[in-house]
């Protein structure tokens, strides 16, 4: 979503803001935490979600959220036919609202 916000609205969020000197790695982690909390608040996490799963997510996230991820990266990793890029965009919109909504 950070890439989409930047390319489609010019808004610097997360790693993009930190890279431009308009934020910090701590700000990026706080934004990710708010994003995750949005999933919790809206009941969008799977029934199997628990503290252990969340800690595993955070271990992985801390190594990834400080770098730009573009659609091409998702397609390269999962393949275009997987539709993963559409799934991720839909999930982000369910939690954050449409692009440019001031998340």
């Amino acid at each position: 979503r950070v890439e989409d916000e930047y390319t489609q609205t010019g808004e610097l969020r997360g790693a993009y803001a930190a890279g431009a000197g308009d934020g910090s790695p701590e700000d990026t982690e706080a934004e990710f935490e708010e994003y995750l909390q949005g999933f919790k608040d809206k009941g969008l996490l799977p029934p199997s979600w628990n503290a252990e799963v969340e800690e595993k997510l955070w271990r992985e996230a801390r190594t990834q959220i400080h770098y730009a991820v573009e659609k091409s990266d998702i397609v390269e990793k999962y393949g275009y036919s997987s539709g993963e890029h559409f799934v991720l965009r839909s999930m982000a919109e369910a939690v954050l609202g449409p692009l440019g909504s001031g998340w």
Side-chain angles (χ1 to χ4, degrees), residues 1 6 21 23 27 36-37 42 46 56-57 65-66 70 76 79 81 87 93 97-98:
R1 173 67 178 247
Y6 176 65
D27 294 335
L36 177 58
Q37 188 62 47
K42 294 179 185 245
K56 183 177 179 182
L57 170 71
I65 63 174
H66 302 288
E70 300 175 355
E76 182 179 315
S81 64
V87 171
E93 188 161 326

Side-chain angles (χ1 to χ4, degrees), residues 15-70:
Y16 285 52
D22 199 24
S24 68
E26 293 79 16
D27 294 335
T28 300
E29 287 191 23
E31 284 187 2
F32 184 77
E33 189 167 6
E34 289 175 26
Y35 183 60
L36 177 58
Q37 188 62 47
F39 279 92
K40 293 177 184 178
D41 293 347
K42 294 179 185 245
L44 297 173
L45 296 173
S48 59
W49 192 264
N50 59 36
E52 182 180 334
V53 172
E54 186 164 325
E55 181 53 37
K56 183 177 179 182
L57 170 71
W58 271 107
R59 279 194 307 271
E60 183 66 21
R62 285 185 181 108
T63 69
Q64 301 294 321
I65 63 174
H66 302 288
Y67 305 98
V69 176
E70 300 175 355

